[in-house]
Each structure stands twice: as C-alpha cells, then as structure tokens.
Amino acid sequence: MRVVIAEDNALLREGLVLLLTSSGHEVAGVAATGPEILPLLLEHRPDVAVLDVRLPPGFRDEGLRAALAAREQLPELPVLVLSQYVEETYATELLGGGARGVGYLLKDRVGRVDEFLDALERVASGGTALDPEVVTELMARRRDDPLDSLTPREREVLGLMAQGHDNGTIARSMVVTERAVHKHIGNVFLKLGLPSSDSGGHRRVLAVLAYLDA
C-alpha cells in the first residue's frame, strides 16, 4: 500500500514513516505544510493519504481543506485525517455527502499500532474509520430522542457500527456471537427508524453517522 503523509510535527511524521514502512507499506511522499499536500497527492496518487487537520501556515484546517480539494480531483482517494482533539465539525464535513474511504482519528490512536493500522487498511479499502471518542460525543449530544430507548448493549453495538466495524469484529469485541450482533443491529435500526439492511456495508455506517449528527 502506497501512502502519502502530511504532518508538521517532525517526530510524529518520522514515527508514522517508520511504522508504515516496518509494516510493509510504502511511503510515497511526505508534506509538512498545507500547500504541499495537493501537488504531492496529484503527483503520487497514493492508495491512501494520512493528513493532519491543522498544518502551517495557519494551523486551522489546512489538512482538511487539502483532503477535500484532493477528493474533488481524485474522487476515489481514501483519506485518513488525524486530529489532536475531537472536532466534530471537521468529522462531519469529511464524512458528508456519502463519501467512501474516509477516516477521522485522534492522534493518540496512532500509538495503538494495531488499531491504527486496522483503521488505515479499512479506509484504504473504501471503508470508514471514525474515532470512538467522536462517536461518543455525537451520541452524548443527542437528547430526548430514540437513543434513550436503546439498551446498553444496543448502544455499544451502535458505537462500534459508527466506527466502521463489521459484524464479525463487533462480535469479537463484545464477546458474543454474530447472530446476537445481528439481532442487536436489527433492534437498533428499528428503534432509530433507520433502513433495516444489515449487509455490513458502508451504507449502514453512513446512515448511523447521519442519524447521530442530525
């Protein structure tokens, strides 16, 4: 897998390079500022881009803007955005419009190597990876709605679905059978008034995210 990295912190940038290369991936290019990103992506056309949200010169949303601009010219480009803090607006904008191959993780997640690499590969293959803390904040923001009717197990399933996990992964995480997960998902979709499809595909993830952000 060929990866382009944009990160202004030299230590984290080099750490990402080392982590990816030691995991068998190729780092096709690196950038340290916002204006460098789009030309680099257009030149290398990587399998996935890993971009910090806030980059020089303004340290606002340069990485996100570059990601959105890149996807206009390379619509199939998978993008995994990293952020220091939970910034729901950025997550919502990146995931808007039914986009495939997108992810939003907190930088702390990089230190959990297996989780980070799993999220990267999921995004590169066209899936979605949303940091659990972002999901938690979106769920906590909802008040007086059908979320209140969910059991603790159903809320746990909803959170794992919104992160982009399939039924098998959810079952292993909760130490239950896939049949039990299937039943929980059916209950969640029924209570939230969402389409009942339980295909495990990207569509259901976006449906859940749309609901949580409504």
Side-chain angles (χ1 to χ4, degrees):
M1 185 163 61
R2 298 174 65 253
V3 187
V4 162
I5 298 169
E7 167 61 55
D8 66 299
N9 183 302
L11 186 60
L12 178 55
R13 184 172 64 245
E14 293 306 312
L16 283 169
V17 171
L18 180 60
L19 171 61
L20 292 173
T21 54
S22 64
S23 300
H25 304 303
E26 175 190 348
V27 176
V30 296
T33 68
E36 297 176 63
I37 298 174
L38 185 56
L40 196 64
L41 292 174
L42 293 176
E43 176 186 353
H44 293 287
R45 297 177 180 264
D47 297 311
V48 61
V50 179
L51 312 176
D52 187 3
V53 167
R54 299 187 178 191
L55 291 166
F59 292 100
R60 291 187 295 274
D61 58 0
E62 288 82 359
L64 177 67
R65 294 297 156 209
L68 296 173
R71 286 178 68 98
E72 287 182 3
Q73 299 190 48
L74 302 171
E76 300 301 317
L77 174 68
V79 175
L80 176 59
V81 170
L82 303 178
S83 179
Q84 190 70 41
Y85 310 103
V86 175
E87 297 172 285
E88 295 170 23
T89 301
Y90 293 156
T92 301
E93 188 163 3
L94 183 67
L95 290 157
R100 293 179 60 85
V102 292
Y104 182 99
L105 296 180
L106 296 183
K107 289 185 176 180
D108 287 349
R109 203 68 50 187
V110 177
R112 303 173 188 178
V113 174
D114 290 341
E115 289 184 29
F116 171 72
L117 291 175
D118 177 68
L120 183 67
E121 291 171 8
R122 193 159 67 243
V123 169
S125 64
T128 305
L130 190 60
D131 196 282
E133 291 193 30
V134 177
V135 175
T136 298
E137 291 221 2
L138 290 173
M139 292 178 70
R141 201 174 63 189
R142 299 296 299 259
R143 299 287 183 232
D144 265 347
D145 62 25
L147 277 177
D148 296 334
S149 69
L150 299 183
T151 67
R153 275 299 210 188
E154 290 165 356
R155 290 179 70 91
E156 186 177 359
V157 168
L158 176 62
L160 290 167
M161 285 172 59
Q163 291 169 42
H165 296 301
D166 60 23
N167 286 9
T169 303
I170 293 173
R172 289 190 296 274
S173 175
M174 297 177 64
V175 196
V176 298
T177 65
E178 288 195 42
R179 184 176 179 180
V181 171
H182 181 93
K183 182 178 179 180
H184 285 313
I185 290 174
N187 290 338
V188 168
F189 274 61
L190 180 65
K191 292 178 180 180
L192 300 187
L194 292 170
S196 60
S197 170
D198 188 24
S199 64
H202 184 73
R203 188 179 308 170
R204 78 174 192 179
V205 176
L206 291 178
V208 173
L209 292 175
Y211 176 83
L212 290 175
D213 193 53

